[in-house]
Amino acid sequence: MQAIELLKLRSCYRRGISKTFVAIPEVGSPDIASYYAVSMAEIQRESLPENYRRGLPRYPLTGIRSHFLSCLV
């Protein structure tokens, strides 16, 4: 993992923008096997095709966005 990515993840986590999850190969290991971060997302109804809009509310839809998906091992 590059230092700049780690700093971005830490900053977003501290500000409550995203949550980061880290997998390590074994207990006590300083190595990182993989990591990802998730944050909230919003989908504007108007951005969806017409056939997807039917039956949906007229307000924005919420969702989850995955960031920095990586497998290092």
Side-chain angles (χ1 to χ4, degrees):
M1 174 184 314
Q2 294 186 7
I4 191 71
E5 290 177 354
L6 183 58
L7 291 174
K8 285 180 186 177
L9 291 172
R10 185 181 298 160
S11 173
C12 289
Y13 181 83
R14 286 184 179 157
R15 294 185 337 212
I17 295 172
S18 68
K19 298 298 177 198
T20 304
F21 300 88
V22 178
I24 57 174
E26 58 188 50
V27 176
S29 173
D31 298 327
I32 296 174
S34 65
Y35 66 96
Y36 68 96
V38 293
S39 64
M40 296 304 295
E42 182 177 275
I43 302 169
Q44 296 296 325
R45 185 177 184 271
E46 296 76 24
S47 69
L48 297 172
E50 183 62 38
N51 59 332
Y52 286 16
R53 292 184 213 173
R54 291 186 196 112
L56 293 177
R58 299 214 180 270
Y59 49 82
L61 305 169
T62 57
I64 295 177
R65 182 177 294 144
S66 177
H67 302 272
F68 309 115
L69 185 58
S70 179
C71 185
L72 305 173
V73 174

